[in-house]
Amino acid sequence: MSQAERSQPLLTPEIIASHGLSEEEYQKIVKALGREPNYTELGVFSVMWSEHCSYKSSKRLLKLLPTEGPAVLQGPGENAGIVDIGGGLAAVFKIESHNHPSFIEPYQGAATGVGGILRDVFTMGARPIASLNSLRFGAFDHPRTRYLLCGVVAGIGGYGNCVGVPTLGGELFFDECYNSNILVNAFTLGIAKKKRIFRGRAKGIGNPLIYVGAKTGRDGIHGATMASEAFSDEAEKRRPTVQVGDPFTEKLLLEACLELMDKDCLVGIQDMGAAGLTSSAAEMAARGGTGVEFELSLVPLREKGMTPYEILLSESQERMLLVAKKGSEEEVKSIFNRWDLDAVVVGRVTRGGLFRALFHGQEVVRIPIEALTSAAPVYSRPAERPEGHDEAQKLDLRKIQEPDDLGAVLKQLLDSPNIASKEWVYRQYDHFVRSNTVVAPGADAAVIRIKGTDKGLALTADGNSRYCYLDPYVGGVLAVAEAARNLACVGAHPLGLSDCLNFGSPEKPEVMWQFSQVVQGMRDGCVGLGVPVVSGNVSFYNETDGRPIHPTPVVAMVGLLPKVARCVTPWFKTAGDLVVLLGRTREELGASEYLRVVHGLVKGTPPWIDLASERAVQQCCLRAIERGIVRSAHDVSEGGLAVALAECCIGGPEKALGARIETHEMMRADALLFGESQSRIIVSIKERDLGRLREITGKEGAPLRVIGVVGGTRLIIQPVIQAPVDELKSIWSSSLERRLK
C-alpha cells in the first residue's frame, strides 16, 4: 500500500452512505473494481453515479423524446445542442439547473449557474450572444422569498453583465410549493461556424490533457452529490458546497478558448462543471473510447494542503479541460498566458480505458472509464398516480360563483406577481450589450439578429407547473405548445428545444409517475409540432423535508426568422387597427390563474389542446407575419383573453393604447374573459388586410374572429369591463416593486 493510500480514511457504512451511495451500489462498485475502493475512488464514484451526472432514474424515459430533425447538427449527449441556421452558421444552446446552490446562497448560486451554462456553450466553439432564465420562488408572504428573489436576480445580472452577454428575458413564477426549494434555470445561446464545432472527446493516445483557467479551491466539493439529494430545513449548513464565481475570469477564459479554436491545436474540450475534473475527464474519455491519466500535484491550486479527493471533486468555477495535439503544448500555453490564465499539462490520453490519477507519482485512483459512465446504475423506478389526484381534478363550475365586478377581477389579475410586469427584474440585466438585440425582454419571445445576415433568432422559456401538477401529461404537451406559440408570435419557425425538468425525489412513485407523464406529453407535443429536443437537464430531489415541488418542466425553444426586420411585438400600434382572435375559446377554468387568485383554488384539469389546431393557428400567424400583414401578435396564456388584451394595450414601451372589444360567445363571462383556452393568438391588422388574413386562415383551417378595434384611452370589453388603460398599466407595472418594498 502506498503512502497516498495509507493517508486516506478507512471506509465505513456511514462514510459510504454520506456519499449518497446505497449498499447495492457500493457492492456494484466492488464488483467493477474487483476490490474495495479507497476513499478517493469512492468520491469519484459518488459524483459520477449521482443523479445529476448519471441520469440513472431518467435515462430510460428520456429516450422517448425525439432528438432528430432537418436542422439538428448535435443532439443530446454533448455539452450543448446545435442546430443549423444556414449560411455556414449554427446556433448552440442549452438550459441547465442550479436550484439547490441558489437556495443556499442565492447570489453565488445564480451567478455560477450563469457561468456554467456560458461555458457549456463556448466549449462547443460558439460565441455566446444571448441568455434567458426561468425562475420559481415561494409565495410572496413567505419570509425568505424577497431575500432569495433579490439575491438570485442580482447574481444573474452581476455575472451576465460583467461577461458581456445580454440577458433577454425568461419567466418568473411564484407559488408556495417553492417556499423551501426555489428553481433557477439558466439558458444561453451562441453562434458557431459549422466547420469549427468542437466536442468533448479525448482522442489520440499520448495527446496531452491541459488544465486551463482559474485555480482550484475547495468550493463546490460534492456539489453534484448535493444536487442529487433532497434538502432538510438545515440547508444553510450546505454553504461550503456552493461554488464561487468570477465573471471577469470567465470573460478571459471565453476569449482565450475562442482564440485557441481558431488554431489547429485542439482535439477536444470540456467545461469542468458538475463533479469538476472528474466528470470532464471521464466523460471525454468515454466519448473518445480512451483512457486518461493525471498527475494531480500539477493542478494549479489556490489553497494549501488540498488532497487528491478535494482536487478531483472540486467544482471551482472558470476552468476547462483540453485535449491538445501532441507538440502544440507551448502554443496553447502562450495563448492562455496572454490572457493571464493558467495552462498546465496535467495528464495524457491513454489506452486501456482507465481513469487513473497519481499524486506525487503515487497512484490514488484506478477505475475503468466504463464503470464510471456507461456501466453506471440505470433504474426503472416504480411509478404510481398520486393519492388524491382524482379529487384535485374535480371542478364543478356550478359551485364557482361569478364575480359581480369583472373589471375589478381584471385589475386583481394584473396585480398578481405571476402576471404583472417583470420589468423590476430585467431592468437589472444588460440586454443591449453587443448591439444584437432586436426585441428586448417583455415580449412573447426575445429576438436577436445574426450579424452579417438578414436573419434573426428568437428564444423563449416556458412552463406551467400548475398545469403539470393537475395533469402532468397535458402539462408536458402545453409547455412545448406555448413555447412554439411564443416563437410564432414574433415570426420565428422553431428549430429545436432544450429542456430543464425539475421534479421531487425519483424514489417516490408519485414523482416518477409525474415525470413519466410529463416526458410522454412533451414527446407528443414535440412530434405534433415538429420540434426536436437537442439538449437538456434533469433536476431531481427538489424537495425539502419530504415536500416536493410541483412538477416543473421548463422548455427553452429557439426559432429562426428568415427576415429579422419583419419581427412582430405584442403591443397595439395604431388606432383604427382591427383586433382579431385566431383560435377558439372554450368554457374552461381549471388550473387557471383566475381560479387561484380570485377563488383560492388549484383544481380542475388544464385547458384542452388539439395539436392539429395548435399547429394551424401558429402557421396562420407565421404566414401572416411573413406577408407583412400583422401589426402585433400576442398569445393568450395565464389570465386568459382579458389579461392578454390588457397586455396588448399596456405592455409596450410607448404610451398605452386602448381598444374596444365585443365578444358574443355563449358561455359564462369569467370563463370567456379569464379562462386559459390554448391555441389562441391575438393579432392586430389594418382593415384592408382582413381579406388576406381570412385567405390564410382558410387554407390552414384555423378559426378567425374580428373582436374589436384599437383606439381610445380605455380597454372596453362589452358589456362587462371598462377600464382606463393608464390605470391598468399603473397596477400591472408596479406590482412587483410594491411587494418588494
Side-chain angles (χ1 to χ4, degrees):
M1 182 182 290
S2 70
Q3 181 180 348
E5 289 175 312
R6 286 194 299 270
S7 66
Q8 300 194 57
L10 294 175
L11 300 187
T12 64
E14 291 75 22
I15 287 178
I16 294 167
S18 72
H19 281 70
L21 294 163
S22 67
E23 175 60 26
E24 181 183 354
E25 288 173 338
Y26 182 72
Q27 292 305 321
K28 187 171 182 176
I29 290 170
V30 172
K31 184 176 180 180
L33 295 178
R35 57 177 171 80
E36 300 279 333
N38 62 40
Y39 181 70
T40 301
E41 290 171 331
L42 183 76
V44 168
F45 271 106
S46 75
V47 292
M48 292 303 297
W49 285 14
S50 68
E51 199 72 61
H52 192 77
C53 291
S54 73
Y55 291 79
K56 58 190 176 186
S57 297
S58 59
K59 188 176 289 186
R60 287 178 173 168
L61 287 165
L62 294 178
K63 291 178 181 178
L64 296 173
L65 297 172
T67 58
E68 297 180 354
V72 177
L73 300 175
Q74 175 65 59
E78 267 288 347
N79 292 291
I82 308 177
V83 293
D84 192 342
I85 57 175
L89 299 176
V92 181
F93 57 92
K94 188 183 180 185
I95 190 168
E96 181 78 71
S97 63
H98 226 227
N99 303 333
H100 284 33
S102 299
F103 181 73
I104 296 168
E105 214 306 302
Y107 185 95
Q108 289 296 349
T112 52
V114 173
I117 200 65
L118 286 169
R119 291 192 298 279
D120 279 343
V121 167
F122 72 73
T123 192
M124 306 293 290
R127 177 173 290 280
I129 62 168
S131 291
L132 301 175
N133 51 76
S134 175
L135 311 177
R136 300 290 195 282
F137 295 92
F140 242 109
D141 58 3
H142 189 271
R144 278 177 60 87
T145 293
R146 291 168 178 79
Y147 160 73
L148 292 168
L149 172 63
C150 292
V152 164
V153 171
I156 291 169
Y159 205 100
N161 295 350
C162 291
V163 173
V165 176
T167 302
L168 297 185
E171 57 172 359
L172 173 63
F173 193 85
F174 298 88
D175 190 278
E176 63 183 12
C177 77
Y178 306 108
N179 280 352
S180 299
N181 204 124
I182 66 173
L183 302 182
V184 176
N185 295 175
F187 168 90
T188 289
L189 176 143
I191 300 293
K193 295 177 181 177
K194 276 177 63 177
K195 294 182 178 179
R196 299 294 288 173
I197 290 172
F198 294 86
R199 292 176 170 84
R201 296 175 185 174
K203 285 183 171 290
I205 307 306
N207 278 339
L209 297 168
I210 305 181
Y211 171 116
V212 301
K215 289 178 168 57
T216 294
R218 290 188 171 95
D219 55 319
I221 293 174
H222 269 298
T225 308
M226 177 194 67
S228 304
E229 61 187 27
F231 273 163
S232 71
D233 284 333
E234 298 183 340
E236 291 286 326
K237 296 179 180 178
R238 305 302 298 266
R239 282 184 185 273
T241 61
V242 177
Q243 309 92 330
V244 178
D246 178 359
F248 300 104
T249 299
E250 178 97 343
K251 174 64 173 174
L252 298 177
L253 183 62
L254 187 161
E255 298 299 341
C257 286
L258 293 181
E259 181 180 335
L260 177 65
M261 288 166 176
D262 281 336
K263 311 294 182 184
D264 189 27
C265 302
L266 202 54
V267 175
I269 178 171
Q270 180 141 326
D271 164 41
M272 291 190 216
L277 182 59
T278 292
S279 66
S280 58
E283 289 171 3
M284 290 177 80
R287 295 189 195 109
T290 58
V292 289
E293 181 181 292
F294 290 101
E295 174 47 72
L296 297 178
S297 64
L298 300 176
V299 172
L301 305 178
R302 68 168 185 259
E303 298 185 48
K304 292 182 179 179
M306 288 187 68
T307 64
Y309 180 100
E310 293 171 325
I311 295 168
L312 283 169
L313 271 60
S314 168
E315 293 184 12
S316 293
Q317 297 292 284
E318 294 88 40
R319 304 178 302 158
M320 309 284 272
L321 185 65
L322 315 181
V323 178
K325 292 181 179 178
K326 195 170 184 178
S328 66
E329 293 90 339
E330 294 308 313
E331 187 173 3
V332 173
K333 289 179 183 179
S334 68
I335 290 173
F336 283 88
N337 288 341
R338 190 160 59 249
W339 288 98
D340 253 354
L341 296 169
D342 283 311
V344 180
V345 176
V346 294
R348 62 190 179 93
V349 180
T350 61
R351 288 189 178 88
L354 285 177
F355 183 98
R356 187 166 180 258
L358 310 175
F359 191 56
H360 296 293
Q362 295 184 332
E363 186 177 84
V364 290
V365 174
R366 186 182 186 89
I367 304 173
I369 292 289
E370 184 181 8
L372 295 174
T373 54
S374 60
V378 177
Y379 296 121
S380 292
R381 303 275 193 190
E384 294 178 10
R385 187 182 176 96
E387 202 173 316
H389 195 252
D390 289 342
E391 185 62 31
Q393 289 188 325
K394 291 179 182 177
L395 178 65
D396 187 347
L397 290 183
R398 293 171 299 181
K399 296 180 180 179
I400 305 296
Q401 184 175 352
E402 287 189 64
D404 294 329
D405 188 345
L406 295 173
V409 170
L410 174 60
K411 294 172 186 177
Q412 191 177 356
L413 285 171
L414 291 173
D415 191 47
S416 165
N418 292 335
I419 288 176
S421 169
K422 308 305 187 289
E423 185 179 359
W424 178 86
V425 174
Y426 61 71
R427 75 182 177 211
Q428 298 182 55
Y429 306 150
D430 188 339
H431 39 269
F432 288 109
V433 63
R434 303 191 69 83
S435 70
N436 294 323
T437 304
V438 177
V439 176
D444 291 316
V447 178
I448 199 157
R449 69 173 53 86
I450 306 169
K451 280 187 176 175
T453 76
D454 295 331
K455 301 174 185 176
L457 290 171
L459 43 155
T460 185
D462 295 285
N464 187 308
S465 57
R466 195 179 300 135
Y467 291 170
C468 294
Y469 168 68
L470 290 168
D471 190 324
Y473 172 81
V474 175
V477 176
L478 296 182
V480 174
E482 183 174 358
R485 197 183 318 131
N486 282 336
L487 295 185
C489 285
V490 298
H493 299 262
L495 295 173
L497 70 84
S498 183
D499 56 37
C500 197
L501 309 179
N502 305 274
F503 288 78
S505 169
E507 297 166 43
K508 292 182 175 178
E510 58 270 27
V511 171
M512 280 310 296
W513 179 81
Q514 292 172 334
F515 183 81
S516 65
Q517 291 289 302
V518 163
V519 170
Q520 290 175 64
M522 289 181 61
R523 174 201 61 194
D524 290 351
C526 289
V527 171
L529 298 175
V531 187
V533 179
V534 300
S535 60
N537 168 237
V538 176
S539 176
F540 278 132
Y541 295 99
N542 289 290
E543 59 179 66
T544 298
D545 289 336
R547 300 186 300 273
I549 63 166
H550 289 169
T552 310
V554 176
V555 172
M557 196 176 291
V558 174
L560 181 68
L561 292 92
K563 299 283 185 183
V564 71
R566 287 191 174 173
C567 72
V568 171
T569 54
W571 311 296
F572 292 147
K573 302 299 187 297
T574 308
D577 288 349
L578 297 182
V579 180
V580 178
L581 178 64
L582 304 177
R584 181 173 289 110
T585 301
R586 296 175 174 81
E587 191 172 55
E588 47 192 353
L589 283 171
S592 64
E593 185 74 2
Y594 160 77
L595 205 61
R596 187 197 67 84
V597 170
V598 177
H599 297 282
L601 295 174
V602 178
K603 283 182 73 68
T605 55
W608 176 88
I609 186 168
D610 173 75
L611 286 168
S613 299
E614 178 71 47
R615 188 161 191 158
V617 168
Q618 292 184 24
Q619 290 301 312
C620 285
C621 187
L622 286 167
R623 300 286 179 268
I625 290 173
E626 288 168 357
R627 294 187 188 181
I629 296 172
V630 177
R631 307 270 291 161
S632 69
H634 184 34
D635 85 311
V636 181
S637 57
E638 285 88 351
L641 182 62
V643 165
L645 287 165
E647 290 170 339
C648 291
C649 293
I650 66 180
E654 307 298 331
K655 183 175 173 58
L657 190 59
R660 185 181 185 88
I661 306 297
E662 295 190 12
T663 57
H664 302 286
E665 284 84 351
M666 299 299 293
M667 66 179 73
R668 52 185 289 162
D670 56 352
L672 172 64
L673 295 174
F674 309 120
E676 297 175 6
S677 293
Q678 298 294 292
S679 312
R680 294 185 294 170
I681 297 175
I682 297 167
V683 300
S684 64
I685 61 171
K686 292 293 184 185
E687 187 173 3
R688 65 174 182 266
D689 291 323
L690 180 58
R692 297 167 67 196
L693 183 58
R694 286 192 189 280
E695 180 185 348
I696 294 170
T697 57
K699 287 182 178 178
E700 296 293 342
L704 175 153
R705 176 170 288 188
V706 178
I707 60 172
V709 62
V710 177
T713 60
R714 304 169 76 84
L715 172 60
I716 300 171
I717 304 178
Q718 295 282 33
V720 290
I721 292 176
Q722 293 195 29
V725 289
D726 286 344
E727 181 186 357
L728 297 179
K729 184 161 188 170
S730 176
I731 294 168
W732 174 80
S733 61
S734 65
S735 173
L736 279 184
E737 207 155 356
R738 277 187 282 109
R739 283 174 166 80
L740 287 167
K741 286 180 179 178

